[in-house]
Amino acid sequence: MPSVFIKTYGCQMNERDSEAVAAQFVARGYSLAASEATADVVLLNTCSVRDFAEQKALGKMANIAAAMRRTRPGAVLGFLGCMAQSRGEELLGKGVRLVLGTQKFHRAAEYADALLQGRQSAVCDTGAEAGSEAQIRDHVLGTDGTAPAVTAYVSIMQGCNQHCTFCIVPQTRGEERSRAIEDIVAEVRDLVAKGVREVTLLGQIVTSYGRRMIPTRDGKSPFVQLLEAVHEVEGLQRIRFTAPHPKGYGDDLVDAYGRLTKLCPHAHLPVQSGSNRVLKLMHRGYTRERYLEIVGKLRAARPGIGIGTDIIAGFPGESEEDFQQTLALVREADFDHAFAFKYSPRRNTPAAVMAEQLPQEVIEERHARLLALVNERSAAKFRALVGRLEEVLVEGPSRKNPARLEGRTGCNKIVVFEGSPRHIGQLLRLRIVRASAVTLYGDPAIVNLD
Ligand code: 5AD
């Protein structure tokens, strides 16, 4: 039986795409290899959002190709996903025989078979394919046919029409294309029947879900209609989604946080900058005032909601004063957690050719200051939970110490505690007794909410 190993770079959408690819290989009789060393097919599912992510995947592939030349010369090595889409044929060669773009994930197993069996010598397929958004739907199941995890990702759409000036994603993922509500609900229902208790709905811009496909009904956007439909699925306990755009936070979505009890009290709301001048240059479509207004409304609709964000330091033309406004916004918005990124120029994006590119030292220095602030703030948020009762969905053994269990709070914070395997999949109320910078520790005196 041939085997496949898939390594994923980048976002949750990429992780989900990799799972769907793995499921196809399993359906064709492949086993999933534990590492690249023993695999017949090795695929790197890539990210292009920052240059660093591309360099990591290129470096990894060079190492794999060098090792495989000696040990497994017949193996098929391939790049999938965003970097494959944007670099295309230039990635073929040096041991790489498969390059598949973001609308071709569902063909990975078929092409790999053809390459392994010598029916083709190399494949590069990065074309557009109508309906490909509906193909990210299969999940790898455990050997007993149940879901291997308590939580699952569900892809609801592909592509992005926002065209933020720094971002390569519209080029790599193409135009927005959404799946039908019935198909998504059927997938969620099936996952729940197999033991899943929490789903995260995924897309590049989930708040744009169904635009131009599903009409607004009773003032509710298609995305809110989808949330309502998923909320109806019996046995499902929690709903999350990522990534939304602040522009998509109309009152209908804010209101959904107040109404839909399964919707987790958490929102990842990428702000990118706290300066209106920079937000305009980025083509974000909101001001810092509007952003803070949304945050305020969410906190009013769901007290205790956790708010996360993404921020870019060193966008072209960002002055020290602009950057100070970003730091001020971080304090004002009181984020639970924030990813801080160094601006990375991406090919064929408007920002990459803006006149005022900042020196790398300035980008690094601002990023370090931003990181120090967000880390300090998020540690304070963790500490503030000590002594509180938190609702935790138990996901499985702790990754750091498998003798303990771990789960997440509604606000998406990891809680580690001493429990028993029967707690896996249950929603428990745990007393938080200790916090590190990134983990909460729960009291073993457990109250079951199921
Ligand atoms: N440079 C740095 N960070 C970027 N992001 C997107 N494009 C770039 C870029 N060119 C960040 C944004 C986005 C997150 C997924 O990656 O903050 O929200």
Side-chain angles (χ1 to χ4, degrees):
M1 175 159 57
S3 65
V4 61
F5 179 76
I6 308 171
K7 182 169 170 60
T8 310
Y9 295 84
C11 60
Q12 289 143 307
M13 285 65 95
N14 286 9
E15 284 176 35
R16 175 68 196 109
D17 296 336
S18 293
E19 283 171 5
V21 170
Q24 276 168 45
F25 276 94
V26 169
R28 278 187 173 247
Y30 282 69
S31 64
L32 301 176
S35 82
E36 69 262 18
T38 58
D40 302 293
V41 177
V42 179
L43 302 174
L44 303 188
N45 189 7
T46 56
C47 170
S48 281
V49 162
R50 283 167 294 279
D51 188 52
F52 183 65
E54 291 201 354
Q55 296 311 323
K56 266 203 306 201
L58 290 167
K60 177 76 179 174
M61 187 60 96
N63 287 341
I64 294 172
M68 291 292 207
R69 240 191 319 274
R70 282 176 281 115
T71 54
R72 301 173 81 82
V76 171
L77 309 186
F79 284 113
L80 309 179
C82 285
M83 183 173 71
Q85 184 70 40
S86 97
R87 295 198 181 208
E89 284 200 358
E90 71 177 73
L91 294 172
L92 285 177
K94 297 195 189 126
V96 175
R97 292 198 281 153
L98 180 59
V99 175
L100 275 191
T102 51
Q103 303 198 28
K104 300 292 176 179
F105 288 114
H106 57 290
R107 307 204 52 185
E110 168 193 331
Y111 282 135
D113 263 357
L115 291 163
L116 262 186
Q117 293 161 12
R119 284 183 279 119
Q120 279 181 291
S121 56
V123 173
C124 173
D125 189 354
T126 57
E129 189 168 322
S132 59
E133 68 281 1
Q135 300 287 339
I136 306 296
R137 58 163 188 240
D138 296 324
H139 293 259
V140 179
L141 300 176
T143 44
D144 55 357
T146 58
V150 173
T151 63
Y153 290 143
V154 174
S155 171
I156 64 167
M157 66 185 299
Q158 293 280 329
C160 183
N161 294 354
Q162 295 294 331
H163 295 278
C164 301
T165 54
F166 51 80
C167 190
I168 198 171
V169 168
Q171 294 169 53
T172 62
R173 289 281 178 170
E175 296 273 300
E176 286 168 6
R177 287 121 36 226
S178 298
R179 297 175 67 193
I181 291 186
E182 310 80 78
D183 293 358
I184 297 166
V185 170
E187 183 175 328
V188 173
R189 214 176 267 134
D190 192 44
L191 287 166
V192 170
K194 291 177 170 126
V196 166
R197 293 286 166 261
E198 172 187 306
V199 292
T200 303
L201 307 178
L202 294 177
Q204 275 74 39
I205 303 279
V206 287
T207 40
S208 298
Y209 169 80
R211 267 205 310 197
R212 286 189 283 276
M213 185 177 105
I214 301 169
T216 300
R217 200 162 30 84
D218 303 331
K220 291 173 194 159
S221 64
F223 181 58
V224 170
Q225 295 174 42
L226 172 68
L227 288 177
E228 288 182 345
V230 172
H231 197 264
E232 293 282 300
V233 174
E234 222 167 293
L236 179 68
Q237 286 174 318
R238 283 180 164 183
I239 304 170
R240 300 183 188 278
F241 57 81
T242 205
H245 191 290
K247 274 195 330 194
Y249 271 80
D251 287 344
D252 59 331
L253 182 52
V254 172
D255 177 60
Y257 274 94
R259 279 185 302 122
L260 303 180
T261 51
K262 295 178 183 177
L263 190 55
C264 282
H266 179 256
H268 184 75
L269 210 50
V271 68
Q272 314 298 1
S273 169
S275 150
N276 283 337
R277 207 179 64 81
V278 174
L279 286 170
K280 202 161 193 180
L281 289 172
M282 288 176 161
H283 201 234
R284 289 293 289 173
Y286 53 85
T287 58
R288 67 177 284 138
E289 292 77 19
R290 170 70 185 136
Y291 183 88
L292 289 167
E293 182 192 5
I294 295 165
V295 169
K297 283 186 171 182
L298 284 171
R299 292 217 161 103
R302 190 65 91 80
I305 190 171
I307 298 191
T309 199
D310 294 344
I311 305 168
I312 299 176
F315 183 82
E318 180 190 76
S319 65
E320 176 61 27
E321 198 190 324
D322 292 318
F323 180 65
Q324 287 298 336
Q325 288 181 20
T326 297
L327 297 180
L329 181 131
V330 168
R331 293 192 189 95
E332 207 169 324
D334 199 20
F335 293 117
D336 279 68
H337 106 106
F339 290 115
F341 300 112
K342 299 172 202 167
Y343 171 69
S344 168
R346 311 310 298 127
R347 56 192 164 275
N348 303 325
T349 58
V353 291
M354 285 180 182
E356 271 188 85
Q357 303 289 320
L358 299 185
Q360 195 58 29
E361 315 85 78
V362 173
I363 298 177
E364 305 267 345
E365 190 269 337
R366 285 188 191 158
H367 176 258
R369 275 192 281 159
L370 177 61
L371 199 62
L373 178 65
V374 301
N375 286 346
E376 171 204 311
R377 308 290 298 192
S378 99
K381 285 276 186 184
F382 272 77
R383 279 196 305 273
L385 291 175
V386 173
R388 294 249 310 254
L389 276 177
E390 284 287 319
E391 209 173 286
V392 176
L393 179 64
V394 185
E395 294 182 11
S398 159
R399 273 161 289 183
K400 287 219 186 98
N401 175 356
R404 297 186 191 162
L405 293 180
E406 80 175 32
R408 275 166 208 269
T409 66
C411 300
N412 214 22
K413 293 185 170 69
I414 292 178
V415 182
V416 172
F417 69 104
E418 314 264 347
S420 91
R422 76 188 158 82
H423 291 130
I424 296 172
Q426 292 183 359
L427 206 50
L428 305 177
R429 192 166 283 165
L430 296 179
R431 176 82 58 195
I432 305 303
V433 289
R434 191 159 68 81
S436 75
V438 289
T439 309
L440 299 172
Y441 295 87
D443 189 304
I446 282 163
V447 185
N448 193 346
L449 294 179
D450 268 357

